[in-house]
């Protein structure tokens, strides 16, 4: 085709137009390279319109490297081509290169426009580069693009992803015109910062303004319901998804399934999986994760095997979920086998997330030396989360020497992470090393590492109620505390012994018992017992990991009151019934 087009009569032959027509018909990389070669042979390598089209196609065929090399040979590049390169690298996720092109463009004195700014901001957001984002903000105002809807949506996204959700909201509030794009940016920005309540509030405001919704806003709302453990709100959003037709989107259907699972409704999540058409690797991987966090490791493995039988190829996330499920259920041999299967059976080189799961699996099983050895022999540098998994296992198994070595590694990487300081304090407190506990607290103060305040939440009449430790802010506090006091005697008769070594203060045991009696889980549980009918499961969501004392207490309370109690912490679900937990005290 290329030869026939170029063999036309010279009097009518327009080489630029002919090759441009051929480029528009390129359907694969091979044809594109042949056309590019012909451009060079004909001496048309200075024609920016042809080279711009070539660069665009290289991005289309996933060869940004070729697009970049081509750009460097173009003289007097147009602003359109600069914009295209900034956009192409940003869409491809190569944010540093995209921002680099933007900065080169500015240095050359080529003013960016409303087509460049959204993708420059996207790159700042992807890099969490607030400094560069603020500079781009100043420049877009100077260029007169401060009123453009898409530019402002990019600003909202950038500030939110850089942790400045308040500034993002200010940009949103100052917009004179808003369509679905800035609303969605604000909703996803709240979701990114863990502001689940604001996500749901904003979604309703968006609908009330007469706008519809899109995939991103629906996904954010479903994620927020799951994070809050808001089952009733989640059911409302499920109805909305059904009424608007979003349920035909596999990703949205997967998010609905995940929402129910995060709200503790495992049977319904599994039923929705069976009803989902066109299940892809994301959907299968989500079901594996769901079984894992609910403590059904062997079922998670069965799902993986079924997925492979149905010729759905697993990826890194799939294996992360399988390994995590094995870790939660103590399936050491199975976990080791699937870790080996990644590279040997599927040619997938393990990533940090996969190594982190293996460290956690070995550590939970008490194989701390093997876990440390794996970290030291990894082909990639261990991050804070991997060392944190090992430190958590040191706390579980009381290995003080390894805990101190591990903590040194962690604080080199992130001296301000309060959670790991607290973990080390836990290890010292368990050994009654109160001077070392005090020393860690002083280190935290010097590093300005603020401790995350723990809370537990529970849904009642479509509202979320939060409780902190020894919280008396609820109007029914007197009833809540009275019920906990009433439960104290039967708990002791059934064998409850407070684990006072988990209280990080050198105080008398009586004071420690009082501190343990009114933790957030117990307050939320008492609230549920008072307000929810007897046949209703009590569902509680924690923002921190559940400790051993609270776990023992809730087990015994479930036997006393004859209720099903479901507690979700940051790692998994605990299903309590008749004095037992489905985790079998292994978590």
């Amino acid at each position: 085709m290329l030869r026939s087009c170029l063999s036309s009569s010279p009097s009518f032959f327009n080489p630029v137009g002919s090759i441009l027509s051929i480029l528009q018909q390129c359907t694969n990389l091979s044809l594109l390279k042949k056309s590019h070669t012909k451009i060079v042979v004909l001496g048309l390598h200075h024609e920016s319109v042809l080279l711009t089209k070539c660069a665009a196609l290289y991005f289309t065929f996933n060869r940004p490297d070729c697009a970049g090399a081509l750009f460097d040979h173009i003289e007097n590049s147009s602003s359109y081509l600069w914009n295209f390169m900034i956009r192409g690298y940003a869409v491809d996720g190569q944010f540093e290169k995209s921002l680099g092109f933007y900065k080169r463009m500015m240095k050359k004195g080529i003013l960016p426009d409303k087509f460049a700014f959204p993708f420059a901001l996207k790159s700042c957001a992807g890099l969490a580069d607030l400094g560069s984002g603020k500079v781009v903000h100043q420049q877009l105002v100077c260029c007169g693009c401060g009123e453009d809807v898409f530019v402002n949506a990019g600003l909202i996204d950038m500030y939110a992803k850089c942790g400045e959700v308040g500034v993002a909201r200010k940009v949103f509030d100052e917009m004179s015109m808003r369509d679905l794009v800035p609303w969605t940016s604000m909703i996803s920005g709240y979701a990114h910062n863990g502001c689940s309540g604001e996500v749901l509030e904003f979604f309703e405001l968006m609908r009330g303004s007469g706008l519809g919704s899109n995939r991103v806003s629906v996904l954010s709302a479903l994620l927020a319901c799951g994070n809050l453990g808001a089952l009733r709100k989640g059911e409302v959003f499920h109805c909305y998804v059904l009424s608007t037709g979003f349920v035909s989107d596999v990703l949205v259907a997967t998010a609905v399934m995940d929402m129910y699972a995060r709200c503790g409704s495992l049977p319904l999540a599994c039923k929705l999986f069976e009803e989902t058409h066109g299940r892809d690797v994301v959907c299968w991987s989500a079901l594996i994760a769901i079984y894992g966090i609910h403590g059904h490791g062997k079922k998670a493995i069965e799902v993986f095997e079924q997925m492979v039988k149905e010729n759905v190829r697993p990826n890194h996330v799939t294996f992360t979920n399988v390994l995590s499920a094995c870790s939660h259920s103590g399936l050491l041999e199975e976990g080791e086998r699937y870790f080996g299967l990644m590279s040997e059976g599927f040619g997938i080189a393990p990533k940090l997330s996969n190594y982190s799961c293996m460290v956690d699996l070995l550590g939970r099983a008490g194989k701390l030396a093997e876990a440390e050895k794996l970290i030291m022999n990894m082909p990639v540098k261990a991050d804070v989360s991997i060392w944190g998994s090992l430190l958590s296992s040191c706390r579980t198994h009381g290995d003080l020497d390894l805990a101190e070595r591990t903590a040194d590694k962690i604080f080199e990487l992130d001296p301000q992470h309060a959670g790991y300081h607290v973990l080390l304090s836990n290890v010292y407190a368990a050994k009654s090393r109160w001077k070392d506990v005090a020393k860690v607290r002083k280190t935290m103060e010097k590093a300005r590492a603020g401790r995350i305040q723990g809370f537990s939440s529970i849904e009642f009449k479509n509202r979320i109620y939060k409780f902190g430790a020894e919280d008396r802010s609820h109007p029914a506090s007197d009833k809540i505390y009275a019920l906990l006091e009433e439960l104290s005697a039967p708990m002791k008769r059934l064998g409850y012994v407070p684990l006072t070594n988990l209280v990080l203060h050198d105080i008398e045991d009586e004071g420690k018992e009082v501190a343990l009696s009114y933790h957030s889980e117990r307050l939320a549980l008492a609230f549920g017992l008072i307000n929810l009918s007897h046949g209703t499961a009590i569902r509680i969501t924690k923002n921190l990991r559940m400790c051993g004392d609270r776990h023992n207490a809730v087990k015994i309370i479930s036997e006393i009151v004859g209720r099903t109690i479901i507690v979700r912490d940051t790692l998994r679900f605990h299903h309590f019934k008749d004095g037992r937990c489905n985790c079998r005290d292994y978590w």
Side-chain angles (χ1 to χ4, degrees):
M1 181 179 70
L2 186 65
R3 186 175 297 169
S4 63
C5 286
L6 296 180
S7 61
S8 305
S9 171
S11 58
F12 299 98
F13 178 48
N14 177 2
V16 174
S18 296
I19 293 183
L20 187 60
S21 177
I22 293 166
L23 287 171
Q24 290 170 344
Q25 299 176 51
C26 283
T27 56
N28 57 57
L29 184 61
S30 177
L31 285 175
L32 173 58
K33 286 185 174 180
K34 288 178 181 178
S35 301
H36 188 182
T37 300
K38 185 60 67 174
I39 290 171
V40 176
V41 169
L42 292 175
L44 300 174
H45 51 281
H46 296 297
E47 294 289 343
S48 61
V49 65
L50 296 180
L51 298 183
T52 299
K53 183 62 179 177
C54 275
L57 286 169
Y58 276 126
F59 274 112
T60 301
F61 298 133
N62 199 30
R63 289 301 302 270
D65 55 327
C66 293
L70 182 61
F71 179 88
D72 290 336
H73 289 88
I74 301 174
E75 296 179 5
N76 302 318
S77 304
S78 65
S79 61
Y80 173 81
L81 184 55
W82 281 99
N83 289 347
F84 191 87
M85 298 302 292
I86 294 166
R87 176 187 182 277
Y89 278 117
V91 171
D92 194 56
Q94 299 192 48
F95 301 123
E96 287 188 7
K97 287 189 176 181
S98 174
L99 195 57
F101 265 95
Y102 174 83
K103 291 177 178 178
R104 282 170 60 187
M105 181 183 184
M106 294 295 293
K107 283 183 179 179
K108 283 184 172 289
I110 302 172
L111 289 179
D113 54 26
K114 65 179 182 179
F115 299 105
F117 287 123
F119 296 101
L121 291 166
K122 179 182 177 69
S123 297
C124 294
L127 297 168
D129 187 346
L130 181 60
S132 293
K134 287 181 176 180
V135 171
V136 175
H137 189 176
Q138 292 173 342
Q139 291 166 343
L140 69 88
V141 171
C142 292
C143 290
C145 295
E147 295 297 317
D148 185 83
V149 172
F150 289 98
V151 171
N152 277 307
L155 273 174
I156 292 167
D157 183 63
M158 182 275 294
Y159 278 117
K161 287 184 177 173
C162 290
E164 296 286 345
V165 70
V167 180
R169 178 62 187 270
K170 186 172 184 292
V171 172
F172 178 88
D173 289 339
E174 291 176 353
M175 291 180 66
S176 56
M177 295 287 291
R178 306 186 194 102
D179 61 11
L180 191 58
V181 177
W183 277 96
T184 300
S185 295
M186 198 66 238
I187 288 169
S188 60
Y190 276 130
H192 180 81
N193 285 275
C195 305
S196 298
E198 288 82 353
V199 169
L200 299 182
E201 177 188 347
F202 231 69
F203 190 92
E204 291 303 324
L205 286 172
M206 180 178 71
R207 290 179 61 192
S209 70
L211 293 171
S213 57
N214 55 16
R215 178 200 248 190
V216 175
S217 59
V218 169
L219 290 173
S220 297
L222 289 167
L223 177 64
C225 291
N227 287 341
L228 290 169
L231 180 60
R232 303 302 167 219
K233 286 182 179 291
E235 289 172 340
V236 172
F237 276 100
H238 186 192
C239 290
Y240 176 75
V241 166
L242 290 170
S243 66
T244 54
F246 276 111
V247 74
S248 60
D249 184 320
V250 176
L251 193 58
V252 174
T254 302
V256 173
M257 178 182 78
D258 182 69
M259 178 274 295
Y260 278 114
R262 287 177 177 273
C263 291
S265 186
L266 178 60
L268 186 52
C270 296
K271 183 176 182 291
L272 289 172
F273 174 82
E274 295 298 333
E275 295 174 353
T276 300
H277 298 289
R279 296 186 294 248
D280 58 8
V281 64
V282 175
C283 190
W284 281 96
S285 299
L287 185 63
I288 292 169
I290 285 167
Y291 275 121
I293 62 174
H294 281 272
H296 300 286
K298 290 186 177 179
K299 188 63 181 176
I301 290 173
E302 287 178 20
V303 173
F304 176 85
E305 295 295 344
Q306 184 61 35
M307 169 186 171
V308 174
K309 283 182 183 178
E310 295 194 18
N311 296 316
V312 179
R313 182 177 173 79
N315 56 23
H316 289 96
V317 175
T318 313
F319 277 103
T320 296
N321 294 345
V322 171
L323 294 172
S324 179
C326 291
S327 182
H328 287 310
S329 298
L331 302 175
L332 179 59
E333 291 182 5
E334 291 87 342
E336 290 176 328
R337 181 164 66 86
Y338 282 104
F339 184 70
L341 188 64
M342 280 189 68
S343 54
E344 295 168 9
F346 292 92
I348 301 174
K351 289 188 174 181
L352 276 173
S353 60
N354 306 119
Y355 281 109
S356 182
C357 286
M358 278 306 297
V359 169
D360 190 55
L361 177 65
L362 292 166
R364 287 173 188 267
K367 295 183 176 294
L368 300 179
E370 290 183 29
E372 184 182 26
K373 183 179 179 181
L374 178 63
I375 294 174
M376 302 308 293
N377 292 330
M378 281 170 25
V380 289
K381 185 179 179 181
D383 63 3
V384 171
S385 67
I386 289 180
W387 287 112
S389 292
L390 184 58
L391 182 58
S392 179
S393 296
C394 291
R395 180 189 65 172
T396 300
H397 296 285
D399 191 327
L400 181 56
D401 291 338
L402 181 56
E404 290 178 327
R405 292 203 306 273
T406 303
D408 287 341
K409 296 285 187 181
I410 289 172
F411 300 145
E412 284 177 14
L413 297 169
D414 187 0
Q416 292 185 313
H417 196 297
Y420 296 126
H421 285 280
V422 172
L423 268 179
L424 182 59
S425 293
N426 279 329
V427 181
Y428 284 131
K431 304 285 186 182
S432 297
R433 300 259 300 259
W434 301 111
K435 288 183 179 179
D436 289 312
V437 170
K439 184 178 177 182
V440 172
R441 288 185 176 277
K442 286 182 180 178
T443 302
M444 286 178 67
E445 291 172 5
K446 286 182 181 178
R448 295 181 179 178
R451 184 176 179 180
I452 299 171
Q453 294 299 313
F455 66 83
S456 297
S457 60
I458 184 170
E459 186 182 29
F460 176 60
K461 289 187 176 180
N462 213 29
R463 282 186 60 189
I464 302 296
Y465 294 87
K466 286 185 178 181
F467 296 89
E470 302 182 54
D471 191 343
R472 290 186 178 270
S473 61
H474 193 277
S477 286
D478 290 344
K479 290 183 178 180
I480 291 170
Y481 277 77
L483 178 56
L484 290 176
E485 185 67 30
E486 184 182 328
L487 289 169
S488 178
M491 285 174 68
K492 290 182 179 179
R493 283 198 299 270
L494 287 174
Y496 171 66
V497 178
L499 300 179
T500 53
N501 63 325
L502 296 176
V503 180
L504 301 183
H505 301 284
D506 187 11
I507 56 179
E508 296 296 325
D509 282 349
E510 184 178 348
K512 292 181 180 179
E513 286 191 34
V514 172
L516 291 171
S517 297
Y518 303 114
H519 266 299
S520 64
E521 294 97 323
R522 293 208 209 178
L523 297 174
L525 175 53
F527 176 84
L529 290 171
I530 292 168
N531 292 287
L532 299 174
S533 59
H534 192 272
T536 306
I538 297 172
R539 305 171 193 272
I540 297 168
T541 300
K542 268 188 66 66
N543 70 326
L544 298 175
R545 188 178 179 185
M546 198 174 194
C547 80
D549 178 78
R550 293 163 226 186
H551 190 270
N552 291 343
V554 177
K555 270 199 307 185
I556 292 174
I557 291 173
S558 73
E559 183 175 359
I560 295 169
V561 299
R563 301 286 292 270
T564 296
I565 303 166
I566 302 171
V567 180
R568 190 190 85 198
D569 67 10
T570 53
L571 294 180
R572 58 163 295 154
F573 279 86
H574 297 269
H575 294 253
F576 299 94
K577 188 176 182 181
D578 300 328
R580 292 186 294 272
C581 179
N582 73 325
C583 75
R584 304 185 308 279
D585 298 337
Y586 187 94
W587 82 95

